[in-house]
C-alpha cells in the first residue's frame, strides 16, 4: 500500500549488546553487529521496521515469553533447558574452537592426549 517508512509495523529484537562481533555498542553508543544485520534482513523481508531492545542476557527468554520482544538474536546457542521454553531456528553460525599444536604434531584430538601424559 506504499506507506511511508515510519508507518511500517515494528518487529522488536531482544539482544544483549555485549558480545562482539554479534552485538555490541560502537563508540557512538549504537548497537551493531552480525545479529543486528541479520535481524534487519529478517524484518525487511517480512515488511517490518526493526527495533532493538538491549537487556541482560539472562532476561532475554523471559522478555520473549512475556511479549516484550518478538524475537531474540543474541549469539545464543540452543541448550536442552532453553529449548524447553522457546523455539530455536536452524543455526546461522557454527563456531569451532580448536586447540592448536606445532605443525605435524600427532596430538590433534582430545583422544590422542590419552596415554601421552609425561610421567611425574
Ligand atoms: N553462546 C553462548 C550462550 O548461548 C553465549 C552467548 C552470549 N551472548 C550475549 N549476547 N552476551 O550462552
Amino acid at each position: 500500500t506504499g506507506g511511508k517508512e515510519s508507518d511500517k509495523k515494528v518487529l522488536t529484537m531482544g539482544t544483549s549488546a555485549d558480545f562482539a562481533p554479534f552485538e555490541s555498542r560502537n563508540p557512538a553508543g549504537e548497537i551493531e553487529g552480525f545479529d543486528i544485520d541479520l535481524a534487519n534482513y529478517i524484518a525487511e523481508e517480512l515488511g517490518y521496521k526493526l527495533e532493538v531492545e538491549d537487556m541482560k542476557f539472562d532476561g532475554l527468554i523471559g522478555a520473549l515469553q512475556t511479549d516484550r520482544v518478538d524475537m531474540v538474536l543474541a549469539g545464543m546457542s540452543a541448550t536442552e533447558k532453553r529449548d524447553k521454553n522457546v523455539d530455536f531456528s536452524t543455526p546461522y553460525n557454527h563456531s569451532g574452537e580448536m586447540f592448536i599444536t606445532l605443525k605435524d604434531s600427532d596430538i590433534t584430538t582430545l583422544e590422542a592426549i590419552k596415554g601421552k601424559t609425561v610421567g611425574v
Side-chain angles (χ1 to χ4, degrees):
T1 53
K4 296 194 306 278
E5 186 77 9
S6 55
D7 294 337
K8 274 195 185 166
K9 287 179 296 175
V10 169
L11 188 70
T12 308
M13 161 199 183
T15 196
S16 174
D18 55 0
F19 196 56
F22 291 98
E23 45 268 328
S24 58
R25 286 194 185 264
N26 66 20
E30 299 148 356
I31 303 172
E32 61 181 23
F34 180 87
D35 284 344
I36 316 306
D37 293 350
L38 178 57
N40 267 308
Y41 172 78
I42 292 169
E44 212 165 282
E45 283 293 307
L46 298 173
Y48 289 86
K49 175 180 145 48
L50 185 74
E51 239 163 54
V52 180
E53 281 251 13
D54 189 16
M55 62 188 80
K56 285 212 168 71
F57 185 80
D58 288 341
L60 286 167
I61 287 183
L64 181 62
Q65 290 177 313
T66 54
D67 252 355
R68 213 180 122 195
V69 298
D70 299 309
M71 61 178 182
V72 169
L73 282 84
M76 193 183 289
S77 325
T79 64
E80 223 170 280
K81 188 176 168 224
R82 291 170 183 166
D83 197 46
K84 286 201 175 86
N85 298 306
V86 293
D87 278 348
F88 280 90
S89 73
T90 51
Y92 57 81
N93 177 65
H94 293 274
S95 69
E97 288 79 14
M98 303 157 208
F99 68 88
I100 59 171
T101 53
L102 276 177
K103 202 81 194 149
D104 302 323
S105 164
D106 58 351
I107 305 179
T108 54
T109 66
L110 288 175
E111 289 68 43
I113 290 168
K114 286 176 195 142
K116 296 273 185 191
T117 323
V118 178
V120 278

